[in-house]
Amino acid sequence: MELEKRLKLLNKPAVKTVKMKPTFAEIKQNSYGSTTNRLPTIWSKDGGCPSGTVPIKRITKDDLIRQRNMPPPEPANFDDKFVGSNNNIEQKGSYYPFYGYKRAIATPQYDPKFTKFSGAGMATSLYNPHVEGQQHSACRIKIQNGSDILQVGWRVDPTLYGDNNTRLYLHYQTGEKHCFNTLCPGFVYVHTDIPLDMSFEDNLSQRGGSTREVDLYIYRDTGIGNWWLLLGPDYTQVGFWPHDILNELKGFATNVDWGGVIYNPPGLPEPPMGSSFFPFGNSSFDAYCRNIVVSNEDGDSVGVYNIVALTENKFAYDIQFEGLTEGSNTFTYVFYGGPGISDP
């Protein structure tokens, strides 16, 4: 009966869109064209939702049952203040593993003069690392202030989705409350064509072959303070997290990171991350986040050139940071990934 009540609350075939015009400073334009510039769309049999509404994925009882088997979210309480070395990167060999999570991430070098972030963005290559059971493997942007966390990225997660496809995901966490996609009220969805769990099955990178990527951004509306999800090279406004469901992120973020994260239950091997191979600085072979960018408290976008790289298990995953020249352009790349560990 509890599940049936939740299904009635969550399942609304067509929801009225919220007519809002967020205020952003000029977002730093990418100097390249995304190789995944066509986003999947969904249509109903009768030709789509009525004008002024958006489609919402119908939540099933199986979705809610699987949600009960989800592991706890990544903990918020790890140190986010590190000092970079002279060559613009500090490789911190390990930091304390939390609840089965392991990461290979990059975060801006700590600068006491730049401690407030109003957004972050990246273009990330799309892969499909193999996972089983309750394992998952993902790439994301994460912004944080205290116990408030917002994430967006791609994820292979049979527990969340019921399949092994590479899918878009978003997640918010505030205190003890957290939620994926639209499995609970929170994220306000305003776009008519982009499902929040859309599959990238037909847009995956082939290691050593074609590379596919998607542009992802989280930006704070400088007028109201809502946090918006923007997707694609044209910064399509997908929806927003209202500022009034958050605590510390009612203001600015104090930490940003990009890269990979895996989860494995106790006693099981660690799954692959990214391309499933260690990175060696080649965008045709490595999983990457490129053109990483943050925005300051005025909403102005700033490129990131000094970072700290962190990984918990260098025998399973690694991360590199490089500026690569392609033609007349130089791109900032965070390469990450690894095969995991085959024996627990």
Side-chain angles (χ1 to χ4, degrees):
M1 290 182 65
E2 178 189 346
L3 292 177
E4 293 294 342
K5 288 180 181 178
R6 289 193 63 193
L7 290 173
K8 289 180 180 179
L9 174 66
L10 293 170
N11 283 325
K12 298 176 181 178
V15 178
K16 289 185 178 180
T17 55
V18 179
K19 294 184 178 180
M20 300 186 70
K21 291 185 178 180
T23 304
F24 301 117
E26 183 176 357
I27 299 174
K28 188 179 183 69
Q29 293 288 331
N30 295 328
S31 55
Y32 60 91
S34 172
T35 54
T36 302
N37 52 24
R38 185 176 179 182
L39 298 172
T41 59
I42 53 174
W43 303 98
S44 65
K45 292 180 180 179
D46 61 0
C49 281
S51 176
T53 65
V54 295
I56 300 293
K57 177 184 180 296
R58 179 165 291 276
I59 306 299
T60 67
K61 191 176 295 185
D62 285 342
D63 291 332
L64 297 182
I65 292 172
R66 289 197 312 272
Q67 186 185 21
R68 290 181 171 181
N69 295 323
M70 293 289 291
E74 289 180 59
N77 57 335
F78 69 90
D79 190 2
D80 63 356
K81 297 180 177 63
F82 302 96
V83 179
S85 64
N86 291 333
N87 62 357
N88 297 336
I89 184 168
E90 176 187 334
Q91 184 69 49
K92 190 174 180 68
S94 64
Y95 61 106
Y96 189 77
F98 289 110
Y99 306 111
Y101 287 95
K102 292 182 175 64
R103 309 166 179 87
I105 59 171
T107 188
Q109 176 184 326
Y110 177 65
D111 181 351
K113 297 179 181 179
F114 191 0
T115 59
K116 295 180 180 180
F117 302 97
S118 62
M122 69 175 181
T124 176
S125 55
L126 298 166
Y127 281 92
N128 184 250
H130 178 74
V131 301
E132 297 179 354
Q134 287 185 295
Q135 296 175 331
H136 69 246
S137 187
C139 173
R140 86 306 170 76
I141 304 171
K142 184 178 81 170
I143 68 169
Q144 178 177 353
N145 186 339
S147 63
D148 282 8
I149 296 173
L150 302 178
Q151 297 186 52
V152 62
W154 60 260
R155 186 179 184 101
V156 182
D157 190 339
T159 307
L160 177 61
Y161 293 119
D163 61 35
N164 282 64
N165 290 342
T166 301
R167 292 183 177 273
L168 178 69
Y169 86 96
L170 53 149
H171 182 262
Y172 87 91
Q173 180 178 346
T174 178
E176 297 299 317
K177 183 179 180 181
H178 72 100
C179 187
F180 285 95
N181 304 335
T182 55
L183 285 175
C184 62
F187 186 81
V188 179
Y189 185 29
V190 302
H191 199 278
T192 58
D193 292 336
I194 301 175
L196 298 182
D197 62 349
M198 69 178 176
S199 173
F200 296 110
E201 184 177 7
D202 297 326
N203 287 288
L204 294 175
S205 300
Q206 302 299 318
R207 189 170 185 268
S210 62
T211 300
R212 301 286 183 168
E213 64 184 28
V214 63
D215 304 85
L216 300 168
Y217 306 88
I218 301 175
Y219 276 100
R220 184 175 183 268
D221 179 345
T222 58
I224 299 175
N226 298 328
W227 290 89
W228 281 79
L229 168 61
L230 312 179
L231 206 64
D234 297 326
Y235 311 107
T236 300
Q237 296 170 11
V238 179
F240 63 91
W241 292 275
H243 68 278
D244 56 8
I245 69 170
L246 302 167
N247 294 312
E248 288 94 339
L249 280 175
K250 279 185 169 67
F252 297 100
T254 56
N255 187 60
V256 176
D257 70 58
W258 305 261
V261 59
I262 65 92
Y263 172 79
N264 65 294
L268 293 181
E270 296 172 4
M273 177 192 293
S275 70
S276 304
F277 290 82
F278 288 116
F280 63 95
N282 187 318
S283 60
S284 295
F285 290 83
D286 299 343
Y288 62 77
C289 308
R290 75 165 174 171
N291 243 42
I292 58 175
V293 64
V294 295
S295 57
N296 60 24
E297 60 185 304
D298 296 321
D300 298 323
S301 295
V302 180
V304 180
Y305 305 103
N306 300 297
I307 72 163
V308 179
L310 304 101
T311 182
E312 293 183 327
N313 186 349
K314 285 185 67 67
F315 295 103
Y317 314 107
D318 200 6
I319 187 164
Q320 300 179 10
F321 171 74
E322 295 186 32
L324 297 183
T325 300
E326 300 176 5
S328 59
N329 299 313
T330 299
F331 301 100
T332 301
Y333 278 85
V334 172
F335 298 107
Y336 73 94
I341 294 179
S342 58
D343 296 318

